[in-house]
Amino acid sequence: IALAGVLVAIIYVHALHPILPLPARRDPVARSAGWEGVAARVQDARVALGPRTFVGADRYQEVSELAYQLPDRPHAFCMCITGRHNQYELWPTFPAVAKLDDNLVLVLDDTPGTPTTAERLSPYFARVSRGALAPLLRGNDTVSVRRIWVLQGYRGGWWAVRPTRATASDSLRQAVPRARGDEPQAIVSASIGSRAPTAHGGPIPFY
């Protein structure tokens, strides 16, 4: 017990003031470091674009960081195109809130080309441009690097990608233990829900 307490104490101290010889890129504790700096760059973009500018990212962890770190604590949106599906998709999404000609500032991974998220959303905006680099820093050590993407002039519509119900049903079937070699009961499939599946991702217009 004493050893466990010492280890926990070391981790807490390391989270506040790094004492372990780990580079930030390899330190799990450092994953939440540097978001105040990223938020400052996002805020600069928001101010430049005007009041009808929303913010977002592709992972729910990063969306929550933006919502917390930005000065006015705005509603931030999860694009959830390459990130895992999560509760943000149950809340009002960007196309449900935005009006035509609104803007969107995204924080995405810095990649050599255009990130998948920016590419898939580009048909729904008049202009998509690469913004400033936004490194996540712990002191002088770089944890990882993001880039600001600016999407201007919302045109309406959205890209929707959802897992098929068949896939979810298959997962449940595998999770149900089989008795005497029998197939799982059909009620497992019925419990998934009645919402229609999306066979593939693609633009879905909103009216």
Side-chain angles (χ1 to χ4, degrees):
I1 295 177
L3 177 60
V6 171
L7 292 176
V8 170
I10 291 174
I11 292 174
Y12 272 105
V13 172
H14 179 71
L16 297 174
H17 301 285
I19 57 175
L20 299 177
L22 293 173
R25 287 182 179 273
R26 296 177 178 270
D27 187 356
V29 176
R31 291 176 183 174
S32 61
W35 278 98
E36 63 279 3
V38 174
R41 294 178 184 272
V42 171
Q43 182 63 13
D44 290 342
R46 293 175 72 199
V47 171
L49 291 170
R52 294 299 303 180
T53 301
F54 298 92
V55 300
D58 209 34
R59 303 183 186 96
Y60 70 90
Q61 300 95 327
E62 301 179 0
V63 174
S64 62
E65 287 282 4
L66 291 175
Y68 179 78
Q69 296 290 350
L70 286 166
D72 56 340
R73 302 288 172 86
H75 181 96
F77 296 100
C78 185
M79 304 299 105
C80 300
I81 291 177
T82 61
R84 70 176 64 179
H85 296 277
N86 57 79
Q87 188 171 342
Y88 275 100
E89 296 174 280
L90 304 178
W91 300 340
T93 57
F94 176 82
V97 174
K99 299 179 181 178
L100 295 180
D101 294 325
D102 282 352
N103 307 309
L104 178 62
V105 176
L106 294 179
V107 175
L108 303 174
D109 291 336
D110 182 44
T111 59
T114 302
T116 299
T117 298
E119 183 178 350
R120 291 185 178 177
L121 295 183
S122 61
Y124 309 103
F125 291 86
R127 181 184 178 189
V128 176
S129 56
R130 183 190 299 261
L133 281 175
L136 291 164
L137 300 175
R138 185 179 69 180
N140 295 324
D141 199 358
T142 300
V143 180
S144 58
V145 180
R146 303 291 188 273
R147 185 177 289 276
I148 307 300
W149 282 83
V150 178
L151 290 69
Q152 296 174 261
Y154 178 54
R155 293 174 169 175
W158 203 241
W159 177 276
V161 179
R162 296 292 184 271
T164 64
R165 291 297 171 180
T167 300
S169 178
D170 291 342
S171 298
L172 275 182
R173 288 194 185 98
Q174 295 173 5
V176 175
R178 299 185 179 185
R180 298 185 304 277
D182 295 337
E183 291 297 321
Q185 297 298 317
I187 193 171
V188 173
S189 298
S191 68
I192 302 296
S194 59
R195 194 169 65 176
T198 299
H200 55 81
I204 295 181
F206 284 75
Y207 300 98

